[in-house]
Amino acid sequence: MICLIFKKKAHLLFLLLCANTINAQWIKQESGTDASFRSIHAISKKVVWAGGSKGTVLRTTNAGATWQVLKVNGAEKLDFRDIYGVSEKVAYIMSAGLAEEGAAKVFKTTDGGNSWKVVLEYKDKGVFFDSMDFWNEKEGILIGDPIDDKPFILRTLDAGNTWQRINREKLPPVLEGEASFASSGTCVAVQANGKAWLNTQSRIFFTADKGETWQVYQTPFKQGQTSGIFGLHFWNDNQGIAVGGDYKNDKEKVENVAITNDAGKTWKFLAAAKPDGLKESGWRLPNKSLLLVGTSGTSILEKDKIEWKAIDNESFHSISCFKDACWAIGGKGNLAKWGK
């Protein structure tokens, strides 16, 4: 919490400023659709993209004053679980689902969502896309469920025109039952210098050179079929958080957020975020507060505090911020902007 100290005659103003800081909350926005959303990307304070079910994409170019509902032709049965916006005209969307059912695809638009081109499609049985992110407009990385006891990681270096699977010999083996959750579009976190972190339920796969070499690190989260890490967020080369829980028991009190200060090598749980339960996505604000969302509600940990504050019980799947401009999105078109 940031407050300014004034002289005695300004005590009332001091209290008002503190109250305004404390009372920041989600302000509902009209999405214009009942589709469910698990991915959002704020690329500036004005431009935000979101991907959802029934082949639906949302876009705003005026800081959320209005939202454009975009339908991707031929994708009516697809669920876009991740999205990456390059500009107000260019974006990538990723469809999660079984490849043999035509769902493992990445689309790209270069005209603001008026038209979309399939730039990646798998039809091999067992392929299932979970999350993606990009270092820049041309170079990106995607994780899917493991194949043949190795992580399934794809990379593009040419603006999505071609994708190659990372050589399985470069990757450590996966554990039995290990995978990622296609729940919030945040199972991949990158830094612009080529670093990337990809999570499964309990471990972090790390590359410092855009996928050429890999390390794997253990977290304190326990691997479960419905539980573990649901999302990552790194705000510099060394510091980041992992959030999670159990989606079948999403209101259960669990340790749901861990932090690293050494680029993911070691992790420790923070105090459990309130309200209790599943956290799927998180962000560090410019004032150094941590803001988390999930189906159990929104949590905030202010700078230098050790106790989380429960903001609400609103269900959101994903959060994205550009500096202090943040948006969250969830089921049935549930969309909100952070503010006072």
Side-chain angles (χ1 to χ4, degrees), residues 201-202 218-223 228-229 242-244 255-258 269:
Q201 301 107 315
S202 64
Q218 186 66 45
T219 77
F221 281 92
K222 293 182 179 179
Q223 176 183 322
I229 301 171
V243 298
E255 292 179 297
N256 51 18
V257 55
F269 278 128

Side-chain angles (χ1 to χ4, degrees), residues 59-84:
R59 183 185 73 141
T60 182
T61 59
N62 54 15
T66 58
W67 289 84
Q68 183 181 9
V69 179
L70 306 167
K71 291 290 187 176
V72 181
N73 289 335
E76 293 79 11
K77 295 182 179 180
L78 300 184
D79 193 351
F80 297 129
R81 295 294 183 96
D82 209 348
I83 193 161
Y84 182 85

Side-chain angles (χ1 to χ4, degrees), residues 3-22:
C3 293
L4 300 178
I5 299 176
F6 297 92
K7 295 180 180 179
K8 186 175 181 179
K9 66 180 182 180
H11 277 181
L12 179 59
L13 181 57
F14 164 77
L15 292 173
L16 287 174
L17 286 176
C18 287
N20 284 341
T21 303
I22 293 171

Side-chain angles (χ1 to χ4, degrees), residues 152-340:
F152 185 77
I153 303 173
L154 302 173
R155 181 179 66 172
T156 182
L157 302 175
D158 59 2
N161 292 316
T162 61
W163 297 73
Q164 293 82 34
R165 183 180 178 184
I166 299 294
N167 189 329
R168 61 192 310 275
E169 301 303 321
K170 295 182 178 182
L171 294 163
V174 296
L175 306 174
E176 184 178 355
E178 187 174 19
S180 303
F181 293 115
S183 61
S184 64
T186 58
C187 287
V188 182
V190 304
Q191 289 290 306
N193 58 9
K195 293 183 178 180
W197 298 262
L198 298 76
N199 72 266
T200 61
Q201 301 107 315
S202 64
R203 299 200 297 170
I204 306 295
F205 292 82
F206 171 71
T207 178
D209 49 18
K210 297 180 181 176
E212 293 300 320
T213 59
W214 290 87
Q215 301 292 327
V216 62
Y217 306 129
Q218 186 66 45
T219 77
F221 281 92
K222 293 182 179 179
Q223 176 183 322
Q225 186 175 1
T226 62
S227 62
I229 301 171
F230 279 67
L232 295 173
H233 172 61
F234 275 76
W235 51 92
N236 58 41
D237 284 354
N238 293 305
Q239 296 177 296
I241 54 171
V243 298
D246 186 336
Y247 72 76
K248 281 195 173 181
N249 299 288
D250 66 339
K251 306 300 189 298
E252 179 182 16
K253 184 177 181 179
V254 293
E255 292 179 297
N256 51 18
V257 55
I259 192 167
T260 181
N261 291 299
D262 57 8
K265 295 182 180 67
T266 61
W267 296 78
K268 66 177 182 179
F269 278 128
L270 296 177
K274 302 293 184 180
D276 292 331
L278 175 63
K279 303 303 172 196
E280 296 179 76
S281 183
W283 209 274
R284 184 179 186 259
L285 305 179
N287 66 6
K288 299 183 181 180
S289 295
L290 295 175
L291 187 63
L292 312 183
V293 299
T295 55
S296 66
T298 300
S299 309
I300 190 166
L301 181 66
E302 296 171 340
K303 178 187 176 183
D304 299 327
K305 302 291 185 181
I306 60 173
E307 294 293 331
W308 291 86
K309 178 184 176 183
I311 299 297
D312 56 40
N313 298 107
E314 193 72 32
S315 175
F316 292 111
H317 293 303
S318 190
I319 181 176
S320 182
C321 304
F322 183 85
K323 298 182 179 179
D324 60 350
C326 298
W327 284 265
I329 204 159
K332 297 181 180 179
N334 193 17
L335 173 66
K337 185 176 182 178
W338 185 249
K340 303 181 185 70

Side-chain angles (χ1 to χ4, degrees), residues 43 47-51 55-61 67-75 80 83-93 107-117:
I43 65 175
V47 180
V48 185
W49 293 83
T56 308
V57 174
L58 289 176
R59 183 185 73 141
T60 182
T61 59
W67 289 84
Q68 183 181 9
V69 179
L70 306 167
K71 291 290 187 176
V72 181
N73 289 335
F80 297 129
I83 193 161
Y84 182 85
V86 176
S87 68
E88 68 175 74
K89 295 291 186 182
V90 180
Y92 299 84
I93 48 174
F107 297 76
K108 182 181 180 181
T109 182
T110 57
D111 58 9
N114 292 318
S115 63
W116 296 84
K117 176 184 178 182

